[in-house]
Amino acid sequence: MPSKAMQRGVSLLEVLIAVLVLSIGLLGLAALQTQALKNAESSLQRTQATILAYAMLDALRANRNAATAGNYNTTLTCTVPDASATLVANDRHYWFQSLKDTLGNHATTCGAINCTNAGVCTVTVQWSEERAIGGQSNQSIAISSQI
């Protein structure tokens, strides 16, 4: 049977090992929480981009004659066009401004609109997920619809 002198310090060692295991577990939990926040941010941006694309499709449906004539058509544009007295210019201005306000005022936040005379319109939204993913990571969605 071991004497009490030989067992001195064993409890302290057990406590130190338990603290080490607990701290490693808490660090893992913090990393998991960080990754969950990044994924939630990415999901939010994708949802907002989809909503904005459908908002432009609704504006195109509301002004179908101008849309099928190609008045809304733009290539991938990253600057907000000026507003003017026409409905088409105002729709494009407010849509591009909404892209910048919602998805971030970056040089990579862009949009494109392409409508055919048959009434098939494609709206493209591009943005950067550098905060969510880390580093430069451009994402884009393109939604087509018959208006």
Side-chain angles (χ1 to χ4, degrees):
M1 184 165 211
S3 67
K4 288 187 177 190
M6 292 179 65
Q7 292 185 3
R8 187 176 293 168
V10 173
S11 303
L12 183 59
L13 184 60
E14 290 172 352
V15 169
L16 288 174
I17 292 172
V19 168
L20 176 67
V21 170
L22 180 66
S23 62
I24 291 172
L26 290 176
L27 284 174
L29 186 62
L32 184 67
Q33 182 68 22
T34 301
Q35 190 63 38
L37 288 173
K38 285 181 182 180
N39 290 340
E41 174 77 16
S42 176
S43 176
L44 174 67
Q45 287 181 331
R46 288 176 190 275
T47 301
Q48 290 172 333
T50 303
I51 290 169
L52 289 168
Y54 278 110
M56 178 46 78
L57 285 171
D58 287 341
L60 295 171
R61 284 186 191 97
N63 197 1
R64 188 178 194 286
N65 291 338
T68 55
N71 296 344
Y72 280 90
N73 291 356
T74 62
T75 58
L76 196 62
T77 305
C78 301
T79 58
V80 178
D82 293 330
S84 70
T86 67
L87 178 61
V88 172
N90 283 333
D91 283 347
R92 287 178 29 190
H93 168 78
Y94 289 116
W95 183 66
F96 278 100
Q97 188 62 53
S98 294
L99 289 178
K100 295 288 187 176
D101 292 343
T102 306
L103 298 174
N105 195 5
H106 304 289
T108 57
T109 302
C110 309
I113 305 165
N114 184 22
C115 292
T116 66
N117 58 1
V120 177
C121 294
T122 302
V123 176
T124 304
V125 178
Q126 176 181 302
W127 71 99
S128 173
E129 287 192 353
E130 61 188 21
R131 284 185 51 206
I133 295 175
Q136 189 67 16
S137 178
N138 291 338
Q139 303 292 321
S140 68
I141 61 162
I143 298 176
S144 295
S145 178
Q146 178 76 37
I147 60 168

